[in-house]
Amino acid sequence: MRVDGDRFLADLHALRGFGASGVGRGVARPAYSEADLAARGWLAERMAGAGLEVQVDPMGSVFGLSEGRSLLLGSHSDSQPEGGWLDGALGVIAGLEVARAAREAGAPPVSVVSFQDEEGRFGVTTGSAVWGGNLRFDAALELTDRDGIALAEARVGAGESWVAPERFTGYLEMHIEQGPVLDQAQEAVGVVDAIVGIRDMTITFEGQQNHAGTTPMALRRDAFQALSAFNEALNDRLRNVVTPATVWTIGHVRLHPDAHSIVPGRAVFSMQWRDGDPERLRRMEGIIRETAHQVAEARGMSLSFGEMLGLEPVAMDPGLRAALEASAEEIAPGRWRRMPSGALHDATNVARLMPVGMLFVPSIGGISHDFAEHTEEADLVRGLEVLAGAVARLA
Ligand code: HGY
Ligand code: MN
Ligand code: MN
C-alpha cells in the first residue's frame, strides 16, 4: 500500500477552509456549527469518492464504511471555539488517505470515522462517548452548552441509525501530541501507551449582588472574591496529592451580572482535573468539594455543584501498539518513543468496544487549543506513513 502525501496534505488544507479563522492556520468549527456541518458534508463526499459507504449516526458522527469487517481509523473534525487546523482533523484525513490507498492497492479494506463533539461543546468527547457506551444517548440529548442550548436542539444533520461496532476489528487514531515532549526531544513519533482520565464539572458561588460604590468591603458577599479565595486554597491543598503529571484547570468563568460597578452576586465556573490514576482523581474531587464548602461557609455564599462528567484512564491494546511501534521503528528509527496522552481522545470511548491504538506527531512549541497550533508537513506525512505501515502489519 502506498499513501500519497500530497493528496493527504491537500485534503487537510481543504478541511481547514471550513471555519478558517484567526491568525495563521486557526479554525473555529465547534460541533454542529455551520462550519462543522459544511465540513462534514465535504468529508462525506470525500469518503464516498474513496469508495466508502457514508453513514451518519444519531449523534452526527460521520462514518465511511468499507465492505466486510475492517479496521476503523479516524478522530474528530469539530474544533474548540478557538482551535488549530490539526487537532482531530489530522486523524480523520490520515484515515481517509489510508482507506483510499488500501483500496487502490487491493489491500484489506479500511473504514473511517469523524466523531461528533469530541471537543465538548456539550459533554466530554460526546459523540464517541455515546457510541462507546460511556454516556447514554437520552442523557446526552439533555446536555446543554454554555449558552444553555440543549444538544437535542443543536443536533442538526444527525442520522437515524447507529453503526454496529462489530463491523470493526480495532481502532487506530493518529493525532498531534498537543504537548511539548516530542518537539523538545526532536523526535518524530509517539506511540501512546495510555490516555489519562478526566473529571469535569461546573461550580456556582452565589452571594449578594450590590452597589460597587456604596457597599463597604466588610459587608460584601462578593462571588468573585469567593472564587479567587477558592482557587488559591485549592492550589495549596492539592499540592499534597498531585504528581508533576496531574493537571487542573478553571477555564470558563461567568460573573453575574458582569459589570464594572456591581459587586458580582454569582460566579459560575468550570472545574476540570486530569490524571492517570483513578484513585487520585477521586481524592482530588474530595478536596475540591471540601474547599468549595469551606470558602462558601466563611464568606456567606451558597454553593452548588453541577453534574460531574468523567472518563476513566484507558490503556492501549498491546497488539495495536506493537504494530505502531514496529512501523515507527522502520520509518523513524531511534526517533520515536512510547508515551502517555494527557489530552483526551475518542479512543478512550472506543476502547470499550474494540482494541484501540494511538499515534502522535510533534506539536511545534507544544501549542494546541489555540489558533497557533502547527506541525511541520514533513512530520505529518511521516506520521501518515507510520499509520499506514501499522495498518499493513495488522492486515
Ligand atoms: O480536552 C481534550 O483533551 C480534548 O482535546 N478534547
Ligand atoms: Mn483532538
Ligand atoms: Mn482538542
Side-chain angles (χ1 to χ4, degrees), residues 9-35:
L9 290 173
D11 274 348
L12 204 46
H13 283 288
L15 178 51
R16 199 221 132 207
F18 296 93
S21 198
V23 287
R25 301 168 191 81
V27 298
R29 205 163 56 221
Y32 310 107
S33 64
E34 220 171 280

Side-chain angles (χ1 to χ4, degrees), residues 350-386:
V350 181
R352 287 183 60 138
L353 304 173
M354 64 193 79
V356 301
M358 280 203 77
L359 160 72
F360 283 163
V361 291
S363 292
I364 295 172
I367 304 283
S368 185
H369 286 187
D370 186 284
F371 289 146
E373 168 191 288
H374 192 39
T375 298
E376 297 295 349
E377 293 195 345
D379 284 330
L380 297 175
V381 172
R382 198 177 296 105
L384 170 72
E385 284 166 355
V386 172

Side-chain angles (χ1 to χ4, degrees), residues 122-164:
F122 292 96
V124 175
T125 63
T126 326
S128 60
V130 172
W131 192 57
N134 273 326
L135 176 65
R136 285 201 339 267
F137 181 51
D138 56 352
L141 290 178
E142 287 178 15
L143 294 172
T144 50
D145 71 4
R146 67 189 208 186
D147 298 319
I149 299 168
L151 193 146
E153 202 182 314
R155 194 181 54 110
V156 272
E160 296 296 318
S161 54
W162 299 100
V163 172

Side-chain angles (χ1 to χ4, degrees), residues 29-34 36-37 40 78-79 116-122 154:
R29 205 163 56 221
Y32 310 107
S33 64
E34 220 171 280
D36 172 52
L37 295 173
R40 285 172 189 276
D78 61 301
S79 84
Q116 184 54 289
D117 197 29
E118 194 276 349
E119 297 290 13
R121 175 179 165 194
F122 292 96

Side-chain angles (χ1 to χ4, degrees), residues 200-201 231 247-252 269-274:
D200 192 304
M201 67 179 170
N231 180 56
V247 292
W248 61 98
T249 307
I250 296 173
H252 171 65
F269 59 100
S270 61
M271 183 75 235
Q272 184 191 87
W273 61 108
R274 307 187 191 204

Side-chain angles (χ1 to χ4, degrees), residues 75-76 78 86-89 118-119 173 175-176 178 343-346 368-369:
S75 190
H76 60 97
D78 61 301
L86 298 169
D87 179 356
E118 194 276 349
E119 297 290 13
E173 181 167 354
H175 207 281
I176 49 168
Q178 309 183 275
L344 261 290
H345 298 290
D346 294 304
S368 185
H369 286 187

